[in-house]
Amino acid sequence: YTCFTSDFFLDVADKWRSEIWKMIRERSDLNFLIITKRIHRFKDCIPDGWGAGYDNVHICCTVENQKYADIRLPIFISAPIKHKSIICEPLLGPLNIAGYLTSDFQEVVVGGESGSKARICSYDWILDIRRQCIEKNINFTFKQTGAKLLKDGKLYNIERRLQHKQ
């Protein structure tokens, strides 16, 4: 996981990102997973010689609601990346991504929001994204419930230690 608790494409990382790209090229024996909500900066941040992407780099674009899916996914689809996944986390509303799902995507990962101020995630939203993935033959992973899961009309407050197990 590259910059797992931050974002590799933050503008403040511009001054050192070329060093990281060099390390990624040198360590072709390792796979690098980069998760970003700043896909709009991708083309400005890739190294010379990127071409269609590196075999050992997997880029994941996050979308938390329909607004950001409609903004980020068209950019992501057109980006020259060999390995792509969509991360719907934290999922904050119903999401129709079926029109964006192409064979270029390896997986869609869905999860609720954690923390003391977590917003509600509806299990119906999760099931709908799963259905869209099945219809498009895209791998689907339900990663975690989040702290507040609405299922069958009941709101569940789930402790952090149990969110991945549910």
Side-chain angles (χ1 to χ4, degrees):
Y1 291 92
T2 308
C3 294
F4 186 65
T5 60
S6 185
D7 194 312
F8 188 70
F9 300 113
L10 280 168
D11 57 354
V12 295
D14 289 348
K15 60 186 168 217
W16 54 260
R17 191 177 303 101
S18 63
E19 281 183 62
I20 302 304
W21 283 126
K22 181 180 176 201
M23 186 183 315
I24 288 170
R25 276 191 310 276
E26 288 176 11
R27 292 305 312 259
S28 61
D29 59 317
L30 299 176
N31 292 315
F32 293 83
L33 184 73
I34 298 172
I35 301 172
T36 186
K37 64 180 179 182
R38 292 173 177 81
I39 199 64
H40 62 281
R41 297 200 74 237
F42 176 77
K43 287 187 179 177
D44 294 332
C45 297
I46 54 177
D48 292 336
W50 173 261
Y54 296 162
D55 289 330
N56 65 330
V57 174
H58 189 125
I59 306 284
C60 303
C61 179
T62 63
V63 294
E64 58 273 24
N65 58 31
Q66 193 65 51
K67 174 186 173 183
Y68 287 109
D70 293 338
I71 290 170
R72 295 178 189 146
L73 292 180
I75 297 166
F76 193 39
I77 287 169
S78 68
I81 302 168
K82 288 187 177 183
H83 306 287
K84 297 179 183 181
S85 292
I86 299 170
I87 309 287
C88 307
E89 190 176 18
L91 183 61
L92 301 178
L95 199 54
N96 182 350
I97 57 172
Y100 300 113
L101 294 177
T102 68
S103 61
D104 291 342
F105 293 108
Q106 295 176 337
E107 181 180 35
V108 173
V109 177
V110 177
E113 186 171 38
S114 296
S116 61
K117 296 181 182 180
R119 292 160 282 187
I120 293 171
C121 181
S122 171
Y123 191 61
D124 290 339
W125 305 338
I126 295 161
L127 291 178
D128 188 52
I129 295 170
R130 179 180 176 268
R131 177 195 55 77
Q132 293 171 57
C133 290
I134 289 169
E135 289 174 1
K136 298 289 186 161
N137 199 30
I138 303 292
N139 292 325
F140 171 86
T141 299
F142 177 31
K143 184 179 158 208
Q144 69 166 352
T145 61
K148 296 180 185 222
L149 182 71
L150 181 64
K151 184 174 186 276
D152 299 328
K154 183 177 178 187
L155 180 62
Y156 294 88
N157 293 301
I158 302 171
E159 294 178 44
R160 179 72 177 138
R161 66 183 179 83
L162 300 173
Q163 292 171 22
H164 285 84
K165 293 179 184 179
Q166 297 294 315

